[in-house]
Amino acid sequence: QVQLVESGGGSVQAGGSLKLSCVALGEKTFNKYLMGWFRQAPGKEREGVAVFDIDGSTAYADSVKGRFTISKDNAKNTLFLQMSSLKPEDTAMYSCAAVLSTGGWVRVWGLVPEDEYNYWGQGTQVTVSS
């Protein structure tokens, strides 16, 4: 069982930056997990934001390309999402998710569908004001 804990959310003005973190507690094979960031705004469906596969390949939603950067530190069991040039429409609950991977998933899927993930964190709120 993988326990994921997100942090780093908060309130920021448009144009600002935030860096989200997602720690996999007690996991000894973090390097074998494909990790993704998702977000859900009030009244909207959850959407994929970014994904990081075990082979280092990444993919992003069109709405965040060039503004968000996903990274993974296997030594620290931590996934990051650096968010810059934030917009009010980025306001949402952000969650990380994990699934064991053999690599190549991003080449096939791009953003891996949420149904493929086995483990989810509770989320961290990001609010961007205009």
Side-chain angles (χ1 to χ4, degrees):
Q1 189 77 7
V2 178
Q3 184 177 358
L4 302 174
V5 180
E6 301 95 336
S7 62
S11 297
V12 64
Q13 288 192 328
S17 299
L18 283 173
K19 187 173 185 177
L20 305 184
S21 299
C22 167
V23 177
L25 297 179
E27 179 55 46
K28 298 182 179 179
T29 58
F30 185 68
N31 60 310
K32 296 182 180 180
Y33 285 86
L34 176 148
M35 302 290 296
W37 283 103
F38 289 79
R39 67 185 181 185
Q40 187 167 21
K44 294 187 177 181
E45 292 187 354
R46 185 161 57 190
E47 63 173 349
V49 175
V51 60
F52 195 108
D53 204 351
I54 64 169
D55 55 10
S57 56
T58 60
Y60 296 88
D62 288 343
S63 58
V64 307
K65 281 180 181 177
R67 300 188 299 120
F68 291 10
T69 301
I70 189 171
S71 60
K72 188 170 181 264
D73 187 334
N74 289 324
K76 296 183 178 179
N77 276 18
T78 304
L79 178 75
F80 300 99
L81 185 68
Q82 177 67 53
M83 305 185 296
S84 302
S85 302
L86 283 162
K87 305 175 181 180
E89 51 264 44
D90 294 319
T91 295
M93 180 71 74
Y94 284 72
S95 301
C96 63
V99 60
L100 281 170
S101 173
T102 53
W105 287 38
V106 170
R107 287 195 296 274
V108 172
W109 293 105
L111 283 174
V112 177
E114 62 178 274
D115 290 348
E116 299 295 327
Y117 291 87
N118 300 124
Y119 305 103
W120 292 84
Q122 292 297 312
T124 184
Q125 177 68 37
V126 172
T127 302
V128 184
S129 58
S130 57

